[in-house]
Amino acid sequence: MEELALHILDIAENSIRAGAQTVEIEIVEDVQQDRLHITIRDNGKGMDKRTLRHALDPFFTTKVGKRVGLGLPLLAAAARQAGGDIAVRSKRGAGTEVEAVFQYSHADRQPLGNLGATLETLIIGNPDVDFRLLHRSPKGEKQLDTRDIRAALNGAPINSIEGIRRVKQSMEENGWL
């Protein structure tokens, strides 16, 4: 993967496959500390101890019919290549948290990429999941919470025509698009 937004998409999709009803994505660009933090947490089924021990092993997967699981190992490699690291915390029945840290100024740090397209894909493609998004950067703070969008839809699905319009409007207002 050439941009961090695609890693975020992959990890969030793992959360959804694990039954998460809520996925929180937090991106903090801390230029003063020369760090970029990406945290993705969910309330999915979580991992047992064995799965958690092997989570960063590319030759381990829980997906039926697959022989490799590359999402977390690729994110770990990207973080380590850019002077950072990754931590995966999970508890069966309590969800999972993935935290990747990168040296912000590192020449090998991948660009964030198109976060707006990633978030739009996640929200519209997973209408029954709530997403909470936060991005702090030197330019300011952007937030988005799909619960607020749902409340304004008066029961219409978030992937309806009106829902998609409101998602795009909210993303534009908050600087995601």
Side-chain angles (χ1 to χ4, degrees), residues 8 10 36 50 72 111 119 138 144 146 153 158 162 168 174:
I8 292 168
D10 185 63
L36 170 65
R50 177 182 177 273
L72 285 170
L119 301 176
L144 182 74
T146 57
L153 289 172
I158 204 162
E162 176 61 17
K168 287 182 182 265
N174 287 290

Side-chain angles (χ1 to χ4, degrees), residues 120 123-124 144-146 148-154 156-174 177:
E120 188 175 20
I123 293 167
I124 294 170
L144 182 74
D145 190 329
T146 57
D148 297 335
I149 297 170
R150 284 182 210 288
L153 289 172
N154 298 317
I158 204 162
N159 63 349
S160 66
I161 292 172
E162 176 61 17
I164 292 169
R165 187 186 69 72
R166 290 214 185 218
V167 166
K168 287 182 182 265
Q169 178 184 3
S170 182
M171 291 181 75
E172 286 174 0
E173 288 171 0
N174 287 290
L177 294 179

